[in-house]
Amino acid sequence: MPELPDRKVGIVACCGEEIAEGTVSRLATLKVLHDLRPDDTVTICLPLFVAGDAGECAFARVHPTIAVDGCDLRCAARATEALSGKPAASLVVSAVVAEQGLAKPEGRRRLDDAGKAAVEATATRLAALVDALAAAGDAGRAAESAMSAVQPQARNVACACGRGGTPAKASGVA
Amino acid sequence: MSADGQKVAVAPCSGIGKPFGTVAREAAYELCETVCPADTVLVALGKLVLGDAAARETVSRNPVVTIDGCQRMCAAKTVKRNRGAVLHEVMVLDVFRRHRDLKPEGIAELNKAGEELARVLAGEVATIVPELKAAVAKGACHA
């Protein structure tokens, strides 16, 4: 069976600078990236979908991506879908806070205790989503690998910029 | 619109991968919350990525300062795409080059040097806030 590269789970946070929940989205994302799931996750700055190159715009098409938003505007989820690819999952900090009965976070620059609790709750929920997507990815890759081992086939290899591609042979060599 | 009551919009990058992005964000808070709270307003870059109407209005009707953490200049580019009047662009790295003793470290939480670099940057921008507000009267914005 061929070895396929691990496909890390992408996380895109709104980082909304205007509200404390935006800071929670940023810190929860960093906690997952650095502490909870460092080997399984990658991130990209949201504005790079506008300012970046084609490769960066392909982020959500390459990585199964979780959008983490601070509020109901859902800027990260909507921008990711519009400019990169449909997120595999999304999370809204204010909803996590409400569901868990936590106090409203305050302090966009320095989070209060409620904000820190929201970071923990959001990071825990985010890590669980990462695990679920990683597991789904493993199962998908195993199935794809098994299929290619028995049935080599031509398929379209799309350019990362999403502007189409040329037919190419999958190696399919076991 | 006259310059009276006009504020300078401050748009920091939303950098999440490097300490310089955190410095940009911290400098924007320092400027808008501590140094010049009456003359500045913070703009969330994420809102501008999809062209949120209120955020577009803010950057098109006020002089804008962008603070970027890296050479990708996401903040400046995103504001300009939204018809924002960017009158001053700051890149954290340029400020750091002039203050090499203030090497920022840490992303979730900056070290002391990074916090000081943010204060220095905010102080530098604060000195030109009156000039930026005056530019409004000269028609630099769409107001």
Side-chain angles (χ1 to χ4, degrees):
Chain A
M1 189 176 294
E3 284 288 319
L4 296 176
D6 285 341
R7 202 168 52 144
K8 295 191 175 189
V9 174
I11 306 176
V12 178
C14 80
C15 294
E17 292 83 5
E18 290 179 357
I19 59 173
E21 288 85 347
T23 301
V24 171
S25 79
R26 177 172 176 273
L27 294 180
T29 296
L30 287 169
K31 187 175 180 66
V32 173
L33 285 162
H34 292 170
D35 301 330
L36 301 182
R37 300 294 184 272
D39 297 330
D40 303 322
T41 52
V42 290
T43 191
I44 190 170
C45 307
L46 179 63
L48 273 174
F49 290 150
V50 168
D53 59 27
E56 286 154 340
C57 289
F59 185 85
R61 295 194 292 278
V62 173
H63 304 283
T65 295
I66 304 168
V68 185
D69 279 297
C71 71
D72 285 342
L73 283 177
R74 299 177 65 247
C75 294
R78 291 188 301 126
T80 300
E81 180 163 4
L83 304 171
S84 182
K86 186 175 174 63
S90 67
L91 203 54
V92 179
V93 170
S94 57
V96 172
V97 167
E99 282 171 17
Q100 303 215 358
L102 301 173
K104 179 175 167 47
E106 300 289 351
R108 60 188 186 179
R109 185 178 187 182
R110 301 276 182 271
L111 289 175
D112 63 1
D113 287 343
K116 291 171 184 169
V119 170
E120 293 298 321
T122 304
T124 300
R125 181 75 64 86
L126 184 54
L129 282 173
V130 169
D131 292 344
L133 289 177
D138 287 344
R141 279 196 299 277
E144 185 179 329
S145 181
M147 285 295 291
S148 65
V150 298
Q151 190 178 12
Q153 57 187 336
R155 65 182 178 189
N156 280 332
V157 179
C159 174
C161 69
R163 292 173 183 157
T166 54
K169 282 262 187 184
S171 66
V173 178
Chain B
M1 185 183 293
S2 78
D4 295 339
Q6 196 96 26
K7 292 196 173 193
V8 172
V10 181
C13 80
S14 293
I16 195 170
K18 302 181 186 75
F20 287 113
T22 305
V23 172
R25 180 184 174 99
E26 181 66 18
Y29 284 140
E30 178 74 7
L31 189 61
C32 296
E33 294 184 356
T34 306
V35 183
C36 302
D39 295 321
T40 56
V41 58
L42 189 68
V43 179
L45 205 60
K47 285 184 174 179
L48 286 173
V49 170
L50 272 185
D52 174 81
R56 282 178 68 104
E57 170 103 357
T58 300
V59 299
S60 65
R61 291 193 173 274
N62 296 279
V64 183
V65 173
T66 57
I67 307 174
D68 274 295
C70 75
Q71 293 175 331
R72 310 305 296 273
M73 303 296 281
C74 290
K77 288 178 184 174
T78 305
V79 170
K80 288 172 185 172
R81 280 179 183 245
N82 283 275
R83 296 174 53 82
V86 179
L87 297 194
H88 190 64
E89 297 177 13
V90 182
M91 192 162 71
V92 176
L93 196 56
D94 290 337
V95 181
F96 173 62
R97 285 187 180 117
R98 286 184 272 111
H99 301 275
R100 289 193 178 275
D101 54 321
L102 301 177
K103 183 179 180 184
E105 291 178 353
I107 300 174
E109 191 170 349
L110 279 175
N111 63 351
K112 294 293 182 192
E115 290 178 354
E116 181 60 23
L117 185 64
R119 278 192 287 273
V120 168
L121 194 162
E124 290 182 4
V125 175
T127 62
I128 62 167
V129 164
E131 178 187 331
L132 296 175
K133 290 180 70 176
V136 175
K138 297 175 183 172
C141 302
H142 303 293

